[in-house]
Amino acid sequence: MNLALWIAAGLLAVVALAGGISKTFVPKEKLAGTPGGEWTAHASVGFVRTLGVLEILAAVGLILPAVVDIAPVLVPVTAVCWVLLMVGAMITHVRHGSPRFVLLNLIYLALAAFIAWGRFGPESFTA
């Protein structure tokens, strides 16, 4: 179970890092032209970049606290925050008519929920 949680956290961290880098460093106009990025056309540059920074922080928060054993409780807390972020992402994609991205966000949400459940429960770092 511990291995599965590490794999899930690693996969989710890669997804968060990739999304965060694209939202932080790719121009908003270019993002608006990509599949799934249509919503950025209706958002401010500051909002898109803030989401990008939050995603980068999520990538760090899913891995680093456990690796360095400093405040490892931040791993499941970060996973819960990712669940909330994915709920917002799903609502946004529904509003902009991107149902396949809703399904993708649901998969990310499920991974984050698994990490939160596992790290708060049976495979807690504090146990």
Side-chain angles (χ1 to χ4, degrees), residues 31-32 34-40 42 86 88-106:
L31 281 175
T34 62
E38 298 87 5
W39 65 271
T40 60
H42 308 288
M86 289 301 101
M90 290 189 297
I91 291 168
T92 300
H93 286 300
V94 165
R95 287 183 178 171
H96 290 279
S98 304
R100 66 182 177 169
F101 291 102
V102 173
L103 180 60
L104 189 60
N105 292 139
L106 186 61

Side-chain angles (χ1 to χ4, degrees), residues 18-83:
I21 288 173
S22 69
K23 287 178 188 76
T24 304
F25 299 110
V26 174
K28 185 182 97 149
E29 296 75 26
K30 189 171 181 180
L31 281 175
T34 62
E38 298 87 5
W39 65 271
T40 60
H42 308 288
S44 70
V45 172
F47 180 73
V48 174
R49 287 206 175 128
T50 299
L51 282 177
V53 169
L54 289 174
E55 289 183 12
I56 292 169
L57 290 173
V60 171
L62 285 167
I63 303 295
L64 195 61
V67 169
V68 298
D69 197 30
I70 297 175
V73 72
L74 289 178
V75 172
V77 169
T78 301
V80 169
C81 292
W82 188 263
V83 166

